[in-house]
């Protein structure tokens, strides 16, 4: 498995690793499937986490490998959530909605507390992370975003945008250039997906005209 962390090619004077490229391309596909509200987004995100876990574990980056385990667990839970009889649209995809104010508050509180706890853990054990606080922010933000996606909340796109703002410079700084490039693509896809989910949730909430078929 050592080939995963070998150099694939150089792009704009940045060394691209096979693991960085393969794992993030699969993750980008998973996000695109999330935009399409396809249940296949979760198996794809699970595979992305599996590839990155193998890469980080082989490189003896236990903290990064451990984060991928959490991502895979959340992906498995998200698949179960979307597959357990949730309301479906006519095309078979999952219905989406805006979160309530209570849910938004809970997501924000979980993100804040989680970042403090994980950041303190990374600070206490420096071998787990090169940049404890930004890394904790991205890790917790990713988990919060995936949870909101599993619940069909439009706000999950906002969470991804906030993760992107820190993820791009952090990945370039840590030598994962392909992750940095992919995070830029994430940003564009997130804006596109946000618009789609936003419009669909508004259409779903709009009452039908009197006499129209349900």
């Amino acid at each position: 498995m050592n080939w995963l962390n070998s150099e694939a090619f150089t792009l704009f004077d940045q060394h691209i690793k096979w693991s960085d490229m393969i794992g993030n391309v699969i993750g980008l596909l998973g996000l695109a499937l999330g935009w399409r509200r396809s249940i296949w987004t979760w198996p794809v995100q699970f595979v992305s986490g599996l590839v990155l876990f193998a890469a980080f574990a082989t490189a003896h980056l236990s903290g990064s490998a451990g984060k991928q385990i959490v991502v895979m667990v959340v992906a498995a839970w998200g698949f179960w959530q979307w597959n357990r009889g949730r309301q479906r649209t006519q095309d078979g995809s999952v219905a989406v909605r805006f979160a309530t104010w209570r849910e938004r508050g809970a997501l924000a509180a979980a993100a804040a507390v989680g970042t403090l706890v994980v950041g303190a853990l990374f600070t206490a054990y420096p071998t787990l992370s090169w940049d404890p606080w930004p890394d904790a922010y991205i890790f917790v933000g990713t988990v919060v975003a995936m949870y909101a996606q599993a619940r069909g909340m439009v706000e999950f796109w906002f969470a991804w945008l906030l993760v992107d703002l820190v993820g791009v410079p952090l990945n370039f700084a840590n030598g994962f250039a392909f992750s940095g490039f992919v995070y830029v693509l994430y940003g564009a896809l997130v804006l596109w997906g946000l618009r789609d989910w936003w419009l669909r949730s508004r259409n779903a909430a709009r009452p039908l005209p009197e006499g129209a078929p349900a």
Side-chain angles (χ1 to χ4, degrees):
M1 298 293 288
N2 288 333
W3 67 270
L4 280 173
N5 285 314
S6 63
E7 182 180 334
F9 56 89
T10 301
L11 181 64
F12 301 121
D13 294 326
Q14 297 286 340
H15 301 290
I16 308 300
K17 300 176 182 178
W18 281 109
S19 58
D20 194 20
M21 180 177 65
I22 296 173
N24 281 287
V25 166
I26 296 173
L28 188 62
L29 175 60
L31 189 62
L33 289 169
W35 163 55
R36 299 294 298 172
R37 292 162 293 116
S38 168
I39 197 170
W40 288 102
T41 181
W42 299 111
V44 172
Q45 290 188 58
F46 184 92
V47 171
S48 174
L50 187 62
V51 171
L52 292 174
F53 168 78
F56 291 135
T58 304
H60 304 292
L61 298 175
S62 57
S64 297
K67 288 186 295 182
Q68 298 306 318
I69 292 176
V70 176
V71 168
M72 287 188 288
V73 169
V74 177
W77 178 76
F79 179 82
W80 176 77
Q81 275 286 107
W82 280 25
N83 200 42
R84 68 181 186 97
R86 291 175 58 83
Q87 180 184 357
R88 301 274 175 168
T89 58
Q90 290 183 349
D91 61 2
S93 58
V94 175
V96 297
R97 64 180 178 85
F98 281 99
T100 65
W101 282 107
R102 176 176 293 183
E103 289 172 329
R104 291 170 183 168
L107 291 174
V113 173
T115 300
L116 290 174
V117 172
V118 175
L121 176 66
F122 287 169
T123 302
Y125 299 94
T127 55
L128 296 178
S129 174
W130 297 318
D131 295 287
W133 292 103
D135 208 14
Y137 170 87
I138 290 174
F139 172 50
V140 174
T142 298
V143 173
V144 169
M146 291 180 70
Y147 171 83
Q149 181 186 4
R151 301 289 293 175
M153 299 175 183
V154 177
E155 284 76 5
F156 113 82
W157 295 105
F158 290 104
W160 269 120
L161 280 176
L162 294 175
V163 168
D164 279 352
L165 290 177
V166 176
V168 172
L170 183 66
N171 279 300
F172 278 112
N174 284 335
F176 286 91
F178 197 83
S179 291
F181 292 130
V182 168
Y183 265 73
V184 174
L185 295 178
Y186 275 167
L189 186 59
V190 163
L191 291 174
W192 197 354
L194 171 61
R195 177 182 180 276
D196 182 78
W197 278 38
W198 188 308
L199 293 176
R200 289 181 183 277
S201 63
R202 290 181 62 183
N203 291 337
R206 186 176 300 145
L208 291 172
E210 186 176 350

